[in-house]
Amino acid sequence: MKQLNLYIEAAGTTRVTELHELDEFRYLAFESTRLRLFPGKLKSRWSGPFRVVEVLPSGAVEIASEKDSHTFRVNGQRLKPYVGMDEPKEFSVIHLTEPQRSSEP
């Protein structure tokens, strides 16, 4: 009985060691296949803010740079709205009155 317990403990220890080795192997495989980004390789060639000049029916958008008059077309789905500018907003006030009720029963 004691020998059986020793074998179970040894088997458990061996199994835990194997699991740790497997975990380490998986981690190293993940590290070696991770995408390595090169500086400037995937950098966007344009960054904003830009002014929308024309929206085409195909979904393309023609935009112009704020700094110069250079315009180019981009996929409209690639654009993000820019809400950082503090432009004066126009608004109007409408005063509502209570509706007149008829005196008919």
Side-chain angles (χ1 to χ4, degrees), residues 46-52 63-64 66 76 78-87 89:
W46 51 280
S47 61
F50 291 97
R51 183 175 37 87
V52 175
I63 57 177
E66 292 280 327
R78 305 260 312 155
L79 296 177
K80 296 179 184 175
Y82 181 73
V83 292
M85 294 180 172
D86 292 330
E87 295 181 3
K89 297 190 173 31

Side-chain angles (χ1 to χ4, degrees), residues 52-65:
V52 175
V53 176
E54 182 181 5
V55 178
L56 303 172
S58 63
V61 178
E62 187 171 338
I63 57 177
S65 175

Side-chain angles (χ1 to χ4, degrees), residues 1-100:
M1 191 68 149
K2 287 187 178 183
Q3 285 183 346
L4 184 59
N5 283 343
L6 289 177
Y7 292 146
I8 289 175
E9 289 176 9
T13 305
T14 305
R15 180 68 179 151
V16 169
T17 305
E18 289 173 353
L19 288 174
H20 285 301
E21 289 174 356
L22 185 63
D23 214 20
E24 185 178 351
F25 178 74
R26 185 175 54 91
Y27 175 74
L28 292 174
F30 175 75
E31 285 292 316
S32 67
T33 60
R34 201 183 332 185
L35 175 65
R36 303 218 189 321
L37 298 178
F38 301 104
K41 175 112 176 153
L42 300 176
K43 184 179 176 185
S44 176
R45 291 185 178 91
W46 51 280
S47 61
F50 291 97
R51 183 175 37 87
V52 175
V53 176
E54 182 181 5
V55 178
L56 303 172
S58 63
V61 178
E62 187 171 338
I63 57 177
S65 175
E66 292 280 327
K67 298 173 186 166
D68 55 14
S69 61
H70 179 69
T71 64
F72 56 97
R73 291 185 182 171
V74 296
N75 184 352
Q77 294 177 347
R78 305 260 312 155
L79 296 177
K80 296 179 184 175
Y82 181 73
V83 292
M85 294 180 172
D86 292 330
E87 295 181 3
K89 297 190 173 31
E90 295 181 23
F91 63 93
S92 60
V93 178
I94 300 174
H95 296 284
L96 302 175
T97 59
E98 288 290 323
Q100 298 292 329

